[in-house]
Structures are given as structure tokens and as C-alpha cells.
Amino acid sequence: LMRRRPPRSTPSNSSAASDVYKRQIVEKTIRVPEAKLDELMNLVGELVINRSTFYSIMRRIEEGEEVYKLSQEIKEAAQTMRRITTELQMIVTELHMHPIKTLFGRFPRLVRDLSREKGKKINLKISGEETRLDKMMIEKMTDPLIHLVRNAIDHGIETPEEREAKGKDPCGTVKLSALQEGESVIIQIEDDGRGMDPEFLREMAVKKGILTEERARLLSKKECLELIFLPGFSTATRITDLSGRGVGMDVVKDTVKKLNGEIEINTQLGKGTKFVIKLPLTLAITNVLLVETGKQFFAIPLSSIRETVKVLEDEIKCVLNKKVITLRGKLLGVVDLRDLLNINIRTNSDRWFSIVVIQAEGKEVGLIVDKLHSQEEIVIKPLEGIVANTPGVAGATILGDGRVIPILDTTKLIQMATG
């Protein structure tokens, strides 16, 4: 019998494996400025001193010293702790933020290659590259932005001959920009192409059996444009390597939604289309309003709240089997949060109702709750296991007293309310 020799690992294979290993290591590292590390070390030093202060107070209490005599020291130690943790939070959040140019930097070559492939002349304009965004969000937004730019080139920008016939510059323009507004980052993808026709989208939805003719007639212009986000919806007459496969735009919207963001379409037929994506700076920490309904507490992100109002019971009317109130001369649909979340406990016997007006994707709904509580800065924790896909709930947080509070998904609640 002949013995088989084990296959030798060639130098090229070992080299490739080494490259993969090195690449994995690089992907898990982040460059940190030395000055920031010094700031962190100083703050940690202050934190250690503050910890010693608390231990000293605890020891004196255990030795029998009255708590009321130490109240001022406890208050000062707590204020110091708050200052240190706030500064730590700001520095760590900043370290996790990267300039968005790491994402935008790949598009000049992409546009150049696609324009050559499609026989189109395209000028790419990029602005706001220094805008900073959470590293994880930059990674998640890479594929959606690539898809939007590809669509702009394939669907939006016309051929040079078509543009000249319309009196346009033969060279089309795609603009990619980013800017920070408060606690949000706005990313825009704009082209000066043919634009989108809402009526054509309406007809396509009926033709594909997505909507009935009766339902399609009731759609507004904005709702017609949002049809492109439905799974399998495509207006392409032929399948190319860029479009016509009926996938992509639904994934774009799902990705933005999972990042607690919003996407909006502005278009003008013959002039062009602009996609506006609004994302929070970071997903880890956010400000919320705590509300109570059915003896349960819930957290609503402040970024999704337009206002809160109190109304009398008889101010809530019923129109076409839907509850509405009149707010500054306009009708606003309202819904009881208990009904959306299937909570059977009724605790509010007062004639006054607290309403939280939430907004998402250009729509507004008033949530009827039992009580409004305080505003809190919370750390978001994802849901796992059997509660991971609870309708209307985006995550959870733990308060200082140990209570676990669900964080409401305002976009999903509005979809559930408008049905």
C-alpha cells in the first residue's frame, strides 16, 4: 500500500491566510489621538478619587454617624460623579465617531466606472466629508448609499443625447453631501436626471397587483413615491447588473429604519431626484420621555416627539371610526397606547387625557397615555430571545432604580395606528 503524503501548504496559501488574519486584526482596531487618551486617564483618576470619597462616607455611616450630617458631602460627591461620567461619555462617544469621508471616499471611482460602463457623462460633487458619524453606522450605510448612487446613474441620469434634446447639460450631476443638525446627521443623494413620476408609480403598483385601483387612487404624491420601498417593486423594463431585479430599495429603507433614521424623497419630473436620510449621531445613548399607561412605564425618544398636550375627554371626537382631536385648527388622529400594545389594564379615570404627538416619515399621530413623567438620558439595550420582535418596541433600558423600561418604536407605532 502506498502512503499518501499530506498536501503541502504552499507559500502563497500561508501568505493569503496571513493576510486574512492581519485584515481581521486591522478591522478590530481604532486609532485614538494621544491627547484623548490623556484626557481619559485624567478622568479615570478623578473617578478613583470619587470612589474613595463614597467609600469614606459609607464607612462613617457604618460607624454610626448620622446620614443627615453627611447629606452635603453625599450631594457634592454625587455632583462630582455626574460631571466625570458626563465628560467620559462625551469623550468615548467622540472616539467612536469617524469622519464620513471614509464612506464618501469610495464613490469617485464607483461613479467613474459606472458612467464609463453606461456611456454617460457624470460629474460627482461631494461636500461635508468632515461630518462625523458613529463608526458602526458608517459601516451599515455603505451598501444603501452605493445602491442609491447606482440607481441615480442607471435610472436618474439620462444619456448625453437625451439631455441635449431636453436642453440640459450633456454632463449629468450627482451630489453627495452630509451635514450635522443638532443630534442628527443629514445625508443627501441628489441627481439632476429625469426625476420620478408619481402617477407612473401608481399605475405600476396596480399593474403588479400590489394595490387595488380604488386604494391607489387615494394615495398622495408622497405615498406614491414611497411605493419604491416596497419589496419587489421595480419600474425597470429590463434587468441589468444595476437595476430591474426588484430588490434593493426595500433593503435601503430597512437599514435606515434599523438605525433609528428616516428617509425622504424629493423629486421633480424632468429636474431630478433627491434622497434625504436623517440619522442619529449615535445609537448607544439617547434622550427619552418616560410615560405611563396601564401601570407600565415606556420610553419614547425625544427626537420623535413633536409636542405633548392635555385635552378633555369631550374634545376627542370620532370621525370615520377613528379618534381625532383639533390641534391648532387641524385634525390630528389619536390612538390609545393601550390599544396598540394590547394592554387591558385601565387606570385613567380622569376627564383629562395626556397626549404625546409623535412623528416619523412625515406622518403624525397622538398617543393617549395615562401620565407623563420625566425626561431621561438612557443607554439603549437591544432585545434578544422571544421578545426580540415585539411589535412597537425597539429596545429597552435600565433606570437608576433597576427597572427595565421598553423603548417604543415610533415609526412602527404610526404604521400600526394608521393601519
Side-chain angles (χ1 to χ4, degrees):
L1 296 175
M2 297 179 63
R3 293 182 180 178
R4 291 186 179 180
R5 292 183 179 180
R8 292 182 179 179
S9 58
T10 61
S12 59
N13 288 341
S14 60
S15 175
S18 176
D19 290 342
V20 171
Y21 178 69
K22 290 179 181 177
R23 203 158 51 239
Q24 289 174 347
I25 293 177
V26 171
E27 289 173 353
K28 293 180 181 179
T29 60
I30 298 177
R31 289 185 178 181
V32 178
E34 187 177 349
K36 291 297 179 184
L37 279 179
D38 292 339
E39 288 183 46
L40 283 174
M41 287 300 296
N42 289 334
L43 288 172
V44 170
E46 291 187 46
L47 202 56
V48 171
I49 295 171
N50 189 253
R51 181 183 64 186
S52 299
T53 302
F54 274 109
Y55 277 130
S56 174
I57 293 172
M58 288 171 57
R59 186 173 60 253
R60 289 160 64 184
I61 291 174
E62 290 173 353
E63 290 174 353
E65 192 167 345
E66 298 291 341
V67 176
Y68 73 89
K69 293 180 181 179
L70 300 172
S71 60
Q72 185 60 32
E73 293 183 41
I74 295 173
K75 183 178 180 180
E76 290 176 359
Q79 289 175 342
T80 302
M81 173 71 77
R82 182 175 183 179
R83 176 186 61 81
I84 296 172
T85 53
T86 299
E87 291 183 26
L88 276 173
Q89 174 189 326
M90 291 174 61
I91 292 176
V92 172
T93 300
E94 186 178 343
L95 290 178
H96 214 256
M97 307 279 279
H98 282 202
I100 207 166
K101 67 181 178 183
T102 57
L103 173 58
F104 284 2
R106 67 181 63 201
F107 285 97
R109 181 176 180 178
L110 175 68
V111 171
R112 186 170 60 250
D113 292 345
L114 292 177
S115 60
R116 188 184 302 117
E117 179 183 338
K118 292 296 172 182
K120 298 179 180 180
K121 298 179 180 179
I122 299 173
N123 178 30
L124 176 65
K125 294 183 178 180
I126 296 178
S127 61
E129 291 178 287
E130 296 306 317
T131 303
R132 301 179 73 85
L133 188 62
D134 189 288
K135 177 178 178 290
M136 183 273 291
M137 300 181 76
I138 289 178
E139 294 171 354
K140 296 286 187 183
M141 284 303 300
T142 300
D143 289 341
L145 287 187
I146 289 176
H147 187 82
L148 290 174
V149 170
R150 282 174 173 265
N151 267 1
I153 295 172
D154 199 28
H155 285 298
I157 303 295
E158 309 95 332
T159 62
E161 295 77 17
E162 289 180 82
R163 295 181 66 85
E164 286 183 339
K166 295 178 181 179
K168 292 183 175 182
D169 187 332
C171 181
T173 300
V174 174
K175 296 180 182 178
L176 195 58
S177 64
L179 60 97
Q180 182 178 340
E181 287 186 358
E183 295 298 315
S184 301
V185 169
I186 311 296
I187 301 176
Q188 299 183 5
I189 304 93
E190 182 179 5
D191 67 73
D192 64 347
R194 54 176 60 93
M196 289 190 288
D197 184 357
E199 294 304 320
F200 176 69
L201 295 175
R202 193 196 309 267
E203 293 173 7
M204 288 295 294
V206 175
K207 184 178 179 181
K208 290 175 176 287
I210 296 174
L211 295 174
T212 62
E213 290 189 18
E214 182 181 356
R215 173 64 179 143
R217 283 196 300 269
L218 299 175
L219 295 182
S220 63
K221 175 185 174 182
K222 178 180 174 61
E223 290 171 331
C224 285
L225 294 176
E226 290 179 349
L227 290 171
I228 66 171
F229 294 123
L230 294 177
F233 187 89
S234 175
T235 59
T237 55
R238 62 189 180 88
I239 293 179
T240 70
D241 58 333
L242 299 187
S243 62
R245 303 181 188 276
V247 297
M249 291 306 294
D250 58 323
V251 176
V252 170
K253 183 166 184 178
D254 286 345
T255 302
V256 172
K257 181 183 173 183
K258 287 177 181 176
L259 295 175
N260 292 338
E262 297 179 7
I263 183 168
E264 181 181 339
I265 309 171
N266 298 315
T267 187
Q268 190 174 354
L269 198 59
K271 300 289 186 179
T273 301
K274 180 195 292 185
F275 287 89
V276 182
I277 300 173
K278 183 177 181 181
L279 298 170
L281 281 175
T282 179
L283 291 177
I285 300 172
T286 190
N287 291 306
V288 298
L289 172 66
L290 294 181
V291 301
E292 183 181 352
T293 190
K295 294 185 178 180
Q296 296 184 43
F297 278 72
F298 297 93
I300 304 177
L302 284 183
S303 58
S304 301
I305 298 177
R306 199 189 77 181
E307 62 182 307
T308 59
V309 295
K310 276 202 166 188
V311 299
L312 286 168
E313 184 178 4
D314 55 9
E315 292 183 58
I316 301 177
K317 309 297 182 182
C318 192
V319 177
L320 298 176
N321 295 323
K322 298 289 185 181
K323 294 179 181 178
V324 298
I325 61 171
T326 302
L327 189 61
R328 284 187 292 280
K330 294 183 178 179
L331 288 179
L332 173 71
V334 296
V335 62
D336 198 317
L337 185 58
R338 279 187 291 262
D339 297 334
L340 288 181
L341 301 180
N342 295 319
I343 299 174
N344 297 322
I345 302 174
R346 300 274 169 181
T347 58
N348 188 4
S349 57
D350 194 359
R351 293 185 64 246
W352 287 92
F353 286 84
S354 297
I355 296 179
V356 182
V357 183
I358 59 173
Q359 55 186 4
E361 300 180 344
K363 299 177 182 178
E364 293 181 349
V365 167
L367 294 180
I368 301 174
V369 299
D370 293 344
K371 292 180 183 178
L372 303 177
H373 290 276
S374 59
Q375 294 183 19
E376 299 283 346
E377 187 176 58
I378 58 139
V379 177
I380 302 173
K381 299 293 184 181
L383 296 176
E384 298 178 356
I386 60 173
V387 295
N389 297 315
T390 304
V393 178
T397 188
I398 302 174
L399 298 185
D401 57 8
R403 285 179 296 167
V404 177
I405 306 297
I407 303 170
L408 298 180
D409 183 344
T410 52
T411 302
K412 185 63 178 178
L413 288 180
I414 290 178
Q415 291 175 355
M416 293 164 65
T418 55

